[in-house]
């Protein structure tokens, strides 16, 4: 099984760097490599640069010539570092001088034109076709890690380089600036062969490699109309480890609109694409799994082919805006867990298209300043726990989620959430004491039901219903009480919190004793 990257429509036209250089009064910091400090000093001062720190080989270069100076130095291997010359300690909004920033129309659309992104914090890993580490946006970029070898530059790394640039292209006086230019950025190359096809096993390895590095964002600008069990398993493993998985919704909206994966896997933050008018692009795949929208038409991107820049269309380029923005928000709000960040990013979106949530745009258009301020939702602990296979030791998704109650811990309280599309059920292991009684009481902000299932049950899904249910409580209304008298030895069972058909989401408190 192969996945394809989710770039839509062919590339429109190339934008030559410097063609629309901003006439900024600012300047750029340029630091020469130690070996080049004597040989290049005259070149930099001759071009208008001012030496500010001789021991560092550090110059201040007017932005009017910075792109050309940086480019020349880089070509000669003389450049150690370049960055905008910021006003330290000021609250000034970032004024990026990179020439393609004026073409980044998405800055206004997602509300970052008046914000300054933070220094490196939570990581973003793209699992894609690899990046061209010698592209001017990535050569020498700080906070850039490759998790495996990246295929040689050219067509193989084309898509990954483009996606990466939207997240993390630095403010270096060249090309464009990503949404989180100083992001801690990682790349996993899942296209070890030629071209842009990504093998299932390599995607799985990438998701796991990313999540093994601790809580962060994984960007999946890829998709297929077939659900691959092993990718689902890898995503659930990542979710359990506290990773936020972001996926492009797909580009089949005007070609049959099949359900795409991993976009339609629960717990995945699914991103549709919008255009300059803040409308959802016709190609953007729609489904009940879409969470929010980000710009994905006429997006300036880096290209590995020719090591330049161009523009592109596709949900592939919308997803990394959400990934970068999510890492930004998480860096500023480290107290959030991934389940809270998921809710913050989508519920803070600006409503577009049909009023309220809809299958084209989800909750609406990414809004970074709103996400930074959005009240923290209730945590949703012990996810993913959507069926017995998720919580049964040795189950299909054997992810070591601990039981709610045990022989030594007979009472437990949990506050959690459900969502029809993203989190359809919560299943907990609970202890049934020897010849004793277990009671579960629940209060919620919507009608939810409880059921208790014995060990050996395959699924609590109604489609697989059998004789394994021990008890259930389906009172209409927002509270529920289930009690079961166990005859015989102590044993574990499964307690499920599920939706009646007409409910879309719920937050609940559950007490088991
Ligand atoms: Ca740049
Ligand atoms: Ca989703
Ligand atoms: Ca839940
Ligand atoms: Ca769940």
């Amino acid at each position: 099984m192969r996945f394809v990257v989710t770039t839509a429509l062919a590339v429109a036209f190339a934008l030559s760097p410097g063609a629309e250089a901003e006439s900024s009064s600012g300047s750029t910091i340029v630091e020469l490599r130690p070996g080049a400090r004597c040989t290049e000093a005259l070149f930099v001062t001759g071009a208008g640069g001012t030496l500010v720190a001789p021991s560092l080989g550090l110059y201040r270069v007017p932005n009017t010539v910075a792109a050309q100076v940086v480019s020349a130095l880089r070509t000669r291997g003389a450049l150690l570092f370049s960055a905008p010359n910021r006003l330290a300690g000021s609250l000034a909004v970032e004024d990026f001088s990179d020439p393609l920033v004026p073409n980044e129309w998405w800055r206004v659309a997602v509300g970052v034109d008046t914000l300054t992104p933070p220094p490196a914090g939570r990581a973003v890993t793209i699992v894609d076709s690899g990046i061209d580490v010698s592209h001017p946006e990535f050569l020498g970029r700080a906070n850039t890690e490759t998790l495996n070898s990246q295929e040689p530059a050219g067509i193989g790394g084309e898509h990954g380089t483009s996606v990466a640039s939207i997240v993390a292209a630095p403010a270096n006086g060249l090309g464009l600036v990503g949404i989180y230019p100083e992001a801690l950025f990682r790349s996993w190359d899942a296209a070890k062969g030629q071209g842009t096809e990504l093998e299932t096993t390599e995607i799985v390895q990438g998701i796991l490699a990313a999540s093994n590095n601790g809580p962060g964002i994984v960007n999946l600008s890829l998709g297929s109309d077939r659900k691959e069990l092993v990718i689902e398993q890898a995503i659930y493993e990542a979710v359990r480890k506290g990773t936020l998985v972001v996926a492009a919704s797909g580009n089949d909206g005007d070609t049959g609109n099949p359900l795409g994966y991993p976009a339609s896997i629960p717990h995945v933050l699914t991103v549709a694409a919008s255009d300059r008018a803040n409308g959802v692009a016709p190609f953007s795949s729609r489904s009940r799994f879409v969470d929010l929208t980000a710009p994905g038409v006429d997006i300036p991107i880096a290209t590995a082919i020719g090591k330049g820049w161009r523009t592109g269309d596709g949900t592939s380029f919308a997803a990394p805006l959400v990934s970068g923005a999510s890492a930004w928000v998480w860096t500023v709000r480290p107290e959030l867990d991934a389940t809270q960040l998921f809710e913050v990013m989508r519920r803070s979106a600006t409503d577009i298209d049909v009023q309220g949530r809809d299958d084209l745009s989800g909750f609406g258009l990414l809004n970074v300043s709103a996400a930074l301020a959005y009240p923290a939702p209730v945590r949703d602990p012990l996810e993913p726990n959507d069926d017995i296979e998720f919580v049964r030791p040795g189950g299909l998704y054997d992810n070591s989620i601990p039981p709610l109650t045990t022989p030594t811990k007979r009472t437990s309280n949990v506050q959690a959430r459900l969502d029809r599309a993203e989190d359809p059920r919560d299943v907990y292991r609970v202890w049934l004491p020897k010849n004793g009684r277990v009671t579960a009481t629940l209060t919620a902000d919507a009608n939810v039901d409880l059921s208790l299932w014995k060990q050996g049950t395959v699924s609590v899904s109604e489609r697989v219903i059998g004789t394994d249910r021990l008890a259930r409580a389906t009172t209409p209304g927002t509270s529920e009480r289930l009690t079961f008298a166990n005859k015989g030895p102590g044993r574990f069972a499964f307690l499920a919190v599920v939706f009646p058909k007409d409910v879309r989401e719920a937050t609940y408190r559950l007490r088991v004793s």
Side-chain angles (χ1 to χ4, degrees):
M1 178 59 202
R2 284 172 173 269
F3 277 71
V4 296
V5 293
T6 48
T7 309
L9 323 173
V11 176
F13 49 88
L15 291 161
S16 70
E20 301 194 33
E22 211 174 16
S23 59
S24 164
S25 59
S27 59
T28 296
I29 300 166
V30 171
E31 186 171 352
L32 298 176
R33 290 191 183 280
R37 285 173 189 168
C38 291
T39 52
E40 297 289 354
L42 269 179
F43 167 71
V44 179
T45 53
T50 309
L51 183 63
V52 291
S55 64
L56 298 176
L58 200 67
Y59 294 80
R60 183 171 58 237
V61 178
N63 281 346
T64 47
V65 296
Q68 292 91 323
V69 169
V70 165
S71 176
L73 291 171
R74 196 187 297 279
T75 302
R76 296 198 288 270
L79 182 72
L80 186 64
F81 171 79
S82 72
N85 189 18
R86 296 193 187 99
L87 303 173
S90 86
L91 296 175
V93 166
E94 198 79 56
D95 183 19
F96 299 122
S97 61
D98 297 30
L100 296 180
V101 168
N103 300 44
E104 292 180 330
W105 64 268
W106 53 260
R107 291 189 174 278
V108 173
V110 306
V112 297
D113 56 316
T114 55
L115 300 176
T116 300
R122 293 294 169 119
V124 179
T125 302
I126 65 160
V127 176
D128 211 286
S129 68
I131 62 167
D132 177 1
V133 293
S134 68
H135 189 284
E137 297 286 17
F138 294 103
L139 187 66
R141 182 186 181 278
N143 304 312
T144 306
E145 300 174 5
T146 53
L147 296 179
N148 63 349
S149 71
Q150 311 288 292
E151 287 289 281
I155 185 70
E158 172 65 2
H159 188 265
T161 300
S162 298
V163 171
S165 68
I166 294 167
V167 176
N172 59 355
L174 295 170
L176 53 90
V177 176
I179 191 167
Y180 187 0
E182 293 180 42
L184 174 52
F185 173 78
R186 297 178 174 132
S187 173
W188 174 274
D189 188 341
K192 300 309 287 182
Q194 292 296 310
T196 57
E197 292 186 322
L198 314 177
E199 285 193 7
T200 295
T201 51
E202 290 167 351
I203 296 168
V204 165
Q205 288 177 298
I207 294 168
L208 296 179
S211 61
N212 285 340
N213 278 320
I217 314 292
V218 174
N219 185 87
L220 301 174
S221 288
L222 52 90
S224 162
D225 58 8
R226 284 183 50 187
K227 180 152 72 171
E228 292 295 325
L229 179 64
V230 289
I231 289 179
E232 198 176 10
Q233 287 176 311
I235 287 173
Y236 291 143
E237 171 80 3
V239 169
R240 182 182 68 81
K241 289 186 167 169
T243 299
L244 180 68
V245 180
V246 177
S249 73
N251 300 328
D252 296 322
D254 51 3
T255 53
N257 195 48
L259 269 189
Y261 301 92
S264 305
I265 294 173
H267 304 282
V268 169
L269 191 64
T270 310
V271 184
S274 56
D275 60 20
R276 288 175 184 263
N278 295 339
V280 177
F283 62 76
S284 186
S285 297
R286 55 196 179 271
S287 77
R288 64 197 180 95
F289 297 99
V290 172
D291 293 293
L292 77 167
T293 302
V297 175
D298 292 340
I299 306 298
I301 51 178
T303 169
I305 302 167
K307 299 190 193 302
W309 293 265
R310 59 182 180 86
T311 61
D313 297 347
T315 54
S316 271
F317 305 136
L321 285 174
V322 170
S323 290
S326 299
W328 170 342
V329 171
W330 214 356
T331 297
V332 175
R333 303 181 65 183
E335 70 282 4
L336 299 178
D337 74 1
T339 71
Q340 293 172 301
L341 183 64
F342 184 104
E343 292 298 303
V344 162
M345 297 311 297
R346 65 181 192 151
R347 288 184 191 271
S348 63
T350 305
D351 196 6
I352 58 171
D353 208 275
V354 178
Q355 191 177 3
R357 197 212 157 272
D358 61 83
D359 287 354
L360 269 81
S361 71
F363 283 89
L365 186 60
L366 171 67
N367 183 335
V368 176
S369 57
L372 288 165
Y374 195 84
V378 169
R379 287 181 185 229
D380 193 26
L382 303 172
E383 293 290 347
N385 60 358
D386 300 352
D387 207 338
I388 285 170
E389 284 299 309
F390 290 73
V391 296
R392 178 174 70 83
L396 186 57
Y397 309 105
D398 179 15
N399 45 22
S400 309
I401 291 176
L404 213 55
T405 56
T406 67
T408 55
K409 186 195 177 199
R410 302 279 278 270
T411 298
S412 190
N413 292 284
V414 62
Q415 187 172 18
R417 290 185 271 109
L418 287 174
D419 182 281
R420 172 72 63 190
E422 304 298 327
D423 179 15
R425 294 180 217 93
D426 286 351
V427 177
Y428 303 100
R429 270 203 303 155
V430 296
W431 180 249
L432 305 182
K434 179 183 176 183
N435 293 322
R437 180 175 294 273
V438 66
T439 299
T441 53
L442 179 144
T443 56
D445 61 0
N447 182 13
V448 291
D449 296 335
L450 287 170
S451 54
L452 188 70
W453 303 77
K454 68 182 179 189
Q455 284 191 85
T457 302
V458 174
S459 170
V460 304
S461 164
E462 287 179 20
R463 283 166 295 165
V464 198
I465 207 153
T467 56
D468 297 332
R469 192 169 60 210
L470 298 171
R472 73 165 164 171
T474 58
T475 315
T478 55
S479 64
E480 207 64 80
R481 179 184 167 89
L482 178 150
T483 178
F484 178 72
N486 184 36
K487 305 276 189 282
R491 56 187 167 137
F492 278 106
F494 301 103
L495 179 68
V497 186
V498 297
F499 282 121
K501 289 202 163 35
D502 56 335
V503 180
R504 176 159 183 94
E505 61 190 41
T507 299
Y508 65 85
R509 287 176 185 276
L510 173 67
R511 176 180 174 83
V512 179
S513 59

